[in-house]
Amino acid sequence: VLLSSFNNNSIVKIASVCGVGSGRRSLSSRNLQNQSWQIEYEVTQTFTCEVASCSSPADAARLSTIANQVSTSVNDSLTSGQFAVMLRANIPPSSGINQTILDCLVVWGTISEARTEVDGPRTGVFYPDWQYQSGTCLEDGNEPLYMKKNDVWLFSSLEGCCSRFYSGWNFNKCMNVRGSGLWFVDHMNEKCVTDCKDENGGTCGGLANPLSDRLYSDPKSCCESELAYRFKDLCEAESLQSNCYAGTGKFYSGGVGGGEYCVRDCDPASGDSTCGGLVEESYVMLHDSAEACCQAEYQWIDVELCTVRSNQTRLEKYWPDKTNSKCYKDSENPTVDLSVQIFDTASECCKVGIFWLSENECLSASGVTPEVTAG
């Protein structure tokens, strides 16, 4: 999937999926739709060092150049959306993932610092990098002699070393110089952002403050915990900067936006006249159908009348116009007063709703021919 700009000496592989070694998990339509997947890619490029330890200035410069090329290429592909395009193109049809999910796939990520491996794996010993002031702990076996003589400087894990020498605001940078790629809340913009430097664009919101910013594995968890007053699905979509969110399609009280009946959780810009706007607040009660919404939210309105208004359909029943002493068929002359009583027939409407006139007088005024019963 990654990066056509890499040269022939580059090897790109998936190192892990959700923390598990590659090859042990597979994508499926169901879990891709409902989960966030953390996939770790590893880019390896081989070159010949000037000295055996790869520690000469020329070697350092070479490593820096390669790292910058890889970092820039990956970051550009994430920011431009090209990474997502390539990822979609490389998911096989056998995965069973439908096209809608692929079209709405959102990708975010961070890029780790480059490291060299000379003649074998890393040492497993971490020490603070005072010499180059990188702001993190190194594991390259090049710790100064005074550190080797006193193991107070040495730790078996990056976390232990960072906790000891880079506490407070510096801890998160020590653990993840470019950011962890996890999510934290941006209260000012009422959404969640990724722990990565602002200049990386996309969902990045700057490096998180380890003292005040709680990190989450996905934006939905962040929204639920930190922005509980916001409707979580919309909060998640805005955090991901996704244009695919179209609302739940369920019904809610139109009174939220000044309406007189139920409306659907969707964007009116879609052209659907039943849409009342995307629900933004978590307190808004959603209902599976217009009828259920009307029964719960508009008990003073005839359920059938409320339902047809909410669904933007026609009601072939009658309502009494007491001012003008006649009955109207709602499909022909819709009532403005939604509190009126609704009747199945014009005759019933006249008998009950316009009772001060005879039935025939009311029917005649209403433009309805009375039924003649032979006797």
Side-chain angles (χ1 to χ4, degrees):
V1 174
L2 272 175
L3 311 180
S4 59
S5 61
F6 292 165
N7 62 37
N8 294 332
N9 293 326
S10 297
I11 299 174
V12 182
K13 70 175 183 178
I14 294 178
S16 67
V17 178
C18 300
V20 180
S22 61
R24 298 186 182 182
R25 296 194 67 171
S26 60
L27 297 173
S28 70
S29 180
R30 183 172 183 177
N31 54 30
L32 184 60
Q33 185 175 16
N34 297 317
Q35 298 178 7
S36 295
W37 285 68
Q38 296 177 336
I39 302 176
E40 179 186 4
Y41 288 90
E42 186 176 277
V43 181
T44 303
Q45 189 166 122
T46 303
F47 66 96
T48 302
C49 294
E50 185 177 67
V51 298
S53 63
C54 286
S55 57
S56 72
D59 292 332
R62 180 78 179 276
L63 174 63
S64 177
T65 298
I66 294 173
N68 287 335
Q69 289 175 342
V70 172
S71 176
T72 299
S73 184
V74 174
N75 189 65
D76 287 350
S77 70
L78 287 171
T79 303
S80 68
Q82 186 61 25
F83 190 104
V85 172
M86 297 172 71
L87 181 60
R88 285 192 288 266
N90 283 272
I91 294 178
S94 58
S95 66
I97 300 173
N98 66 53
Q99 191 60 44
T100 300
I101 295 176
L102 291 179
D103 290 342
C104 293
L105 194 63
V106 177
V107 178
W108 70 91
T110 57
I111 306 161
S112 301
E113 290 295 294
R115 67 175 188 267
T116 57
E117 293 187 358
V118 182
D119 296 328
R122 292 170 289 173
T123 65
V125 177
F126 293 84
Y127 68 95
D129 179 23
W130 301 139
Q131 182 177 2
Y132 297 105
Q133 299 182 346
S134 63
T136 188
C137 293
L138 304 179
E139 188 196 8
D140 57 8
N142 294 324
E143 57 269 25
L145 183 60
Y146 73 90
M147 290 187 181
K148 292 182 178 180
K149 289 183 175 182
N150 188 343
D151 60 9
V152 70
W153 301 100
L154 307 178
F155 289 81
S156 60
S157 69
L158 176 62
E159 184 175 3
C161 182
C162 289
S163 296
R164 174 65 178 83
F165 298 110
Y166 298 95
S167 59
W169 282 70
N170 297 313
F171 176 79
N172 192 58
K173 179 180 178 182
C174 177
M175 291 294 295
N176 307 280
V177 178
R178 296 175 182 268
S180 65
L182 299 176
W183 295 80
F184 68 98
V185 67
D186 176 359
H187 285 291
M188 181 176 293
N189 293 303
E190 296 186 302
K191 64 178 182 178
C192 291
V193 293
T194 312
D195 173 26
C196 47
K197 294 180 179 179
D198 284 317
E199 57 263 31
N200 291 337
T203 61
C204 292
L207 295 179
N209 177 358
L211 298 180
S212 60
D213 293 325
R214 185 176 178 182
L215 296 174
Y216 299 87
S217 60
D218 57 75
K220 179 173 283 189
S221 300
C222 176
C223 287
E224 288 176 331
S225 298
E226 305 290 345
L227 298 166
Y229 62 92
R230 296 211 63 202
F231 189 63
K232 64 180 181 181
D233 290 349
L234 180 60
C235 176
E236 179 188 33
E238 290 182 348
S239 300
L240 289 169
Q241 301 179 8
S242 171
N243 295 321
C244 283
Y245 183 67
T248 63
K250 294 185 177 183
F251 288 83
Y252 64 95
S253 170
V256 173
E260 297 180 300
Y261 41 81
C262 293
V263 292
R264 289 178 62 234
D265 174 27
C266 51
D267 189 349
S270 66
D272 188 334
S273 59
T274 65
C275 294
L278 297 174
V279 173
E280 297 184 4
E281 309 293 342
S282 59
Y283 72 83
V284 178
M285 183 69 67
L286 293 174
H287 305 273
D288 291 332
S289 66
E291 183 177 5
C293 177
C294 288
Q295 290 174 333
E297 307 288 350
Y298 293 97
Q299 298 176 358
W300 62 93
I301 302 177
D302 180 271
V303 172
E304 195 170 6
L305 176 60
C306 175
T307 300
V308 297
R309 290 293 191 275
S310 302
N311 284 325
Q312 298 290 296
T313 53
R314 293 160 59 91
L315 179 63
E316 302 295 335
K317 293 190 177 183
Y318 295 83
W319 58 274
D321 177 359
K322 295 185 178 182
T323 301
N324 296 302
S325 299
K326 63 176 67 176
C327 286
Y328 287 107
K329 196 172 189 178
D330 189 72
S331 60
E332 298 172 355
N333 192 349
T335 177
V336 176
D337 179 9
L338 299 183
S339 65
V340 298
Q341 191 173 1
I342 299 298
F343 299 93
D344 291 336
T345 64
S347 178
E348 184 181 4
C349 176
C350 285
K351 287 179 182 179
V352 179
I354 313 294
F355 56 86
W356 55 90
L357 294 182
S358 69
E359 180 181 347
N360 284 344
E361 288 176 328
C362 173
L363 290 174
S364 177
S366 304
V368 177
T369 302
E371 294 183 5
V372 179
T373 303

